[in-house]
Amino acid sequence: MQCEICGTEIRGQAIEVTIDGSQLKVCSKCAQYGTAVKARSPVSRKISPVSPQTKRNVPKRTGQRRDPFAELSDELVDEYEKIIHEAREKRGWTQEVLATKIKEKASLIKKIERGEIVPEDSVRKKIEKALNIQLTERVGESDWSADRLNKGTTLGDIVTIKRK
């Protein structure tokens, strides 16, 4: 048998080591580059019992499986930064005033209004409440169409496949 690192002939028993997640059979000189693999000993179920699952308040399953993509979801509107800016200006507030009302930093409001960052749900809800605006819209399965997904250049338009 040969060492899987240096390639020398192994005399006697090979040493199994793990190097970067790979298990190799190596000579005694190369064993220093990895950690020795210990022989596995099976663990009986009596020693490590599986904890019984407690009955929680889980809704009963029906025979039908639900499609997670078919559900409606709330998504941030496209020009949220413009809506926030206009609502704030309409009230005559500065970015600092809005920030103090929602207990956030003014720099966060500035970045949101410039469109540099998308507000987290907690911040979005505070802004909606303070300015009395809606920044999310209900998106369902009917809003997605094949026409919307097939616009633009795809990899198949660019690549030519050469067959041997």
Side-chain angles (χ1 to χ4, degrees), residues 43 86 130 163:
V43 178
E86 289 173 356
R163 305 226 186 253

Side-chain angles (χ1 to χ4, degrees), residues 28-81:
S28 58
K29 290 180 185 176
C30 295
Q32 66 183 352
Y33 299 117
T35 55
V37 176
K38 296 182 175 100
R40 292 185 184 181
S41 60
V43 178
S44 70
R45 296 247 184 237
K46 292 179 183 175
I47 295 173
S48 66
V50 178
S51 62
Q53 290 192 356
T54 57
K55 199 167 192 176
R56 292 177 285 174
N57 197 6
V58 178
K60 292 182 181 177
R61 293 186 176 234
T62 59
Q64 295 178 341
R65 296 187 79 187
R66 53 184 193 96
D67 183 9
F69 298 107
E71 295 178 5
L72 296 175
S73 63
D74 289 334
E75 295 211 357
L76 200 61
V77 294
D78 287 335
E79 296 182 343
Y80 65 91
E81 62 274 2

Side-chain angles (χ1 to χ4, degrees), residues 8-140:
T8 61
E9 189 69 29
I10 298 174
R11 294 184 185 159
Q13 189 69 17
I15 302 169
E16 289 190 33
V17 295
T18 303
I19 300 174
D20 291 334
S22 298
Q23 192 169 343
L24 304 172
K25 292 183 181 181
V26 297
C27 64
S28 58
K29 290 180 185 176
C30 295
Q32 66 183 352
Y33 299 117
T35 55
V37 176
K38 296 182 175 100
R40 292 185 184 181
S41 60
V43 178
S44 70
R45 296 247 184 237
K46 292 179 183 175
I47 295 173
S48 66
V50 178
S51 62
Q53 290 192 356
T54 57
K55 199 167 192 176
R56 292 177 285 174
N57 197 6
V58 178
K60 292 182 181 177
R61 293 186 176 234
T62 59
Q64 295 178 341
R65 296 187 79 187
R66 53 184 193 96
D67 183 9
F69 298 107
E71 295 178 5
L72 296 175
S73 63
D74 289 334
E75 295 211 357
L76 200 61
V77 294
D78 287 335
E79 296 182 343
Y80 65 91
E81 62 274 2
K82 186 177 179 183
I83 295 169
I84 293 170
H85 178 77
E86 289 173 356
R88 182 181 56 77
E89 291 286 320
K90 184 178 173 184
R91 294 188 184 280
W93 293 350
T94 63
Q95 291 173 336
E96 289 77 17
V97 170
L98 176 59
T100 55
K101 290 197 180 284
I102 65 169
K103 296 182 173 116
E104 294 290 339
K105 292 183 177 181
S107 60
L108 177 68
I109 303 298
K110 291 175 184 177
K111 288 179 181 179
I112 291 171
E113 284 190 6
R114 285 193 301 249
E116 291 178 10
I117 60 171
V118 176
E120 292 180 1
D121 286 340
S122 59
V123 176
R124 177 190 50 83
K125 288 177 185 175
K126 289 187 216 177
I127 292 172
E128 286 177 337
K129 189 174 180 181
L131 297 174
N132 196 22
I133 55 174
Q134 189 66 34
L135 296 174
T136 57
E137 61 185 356
R138 195 61 100 173
V139 178

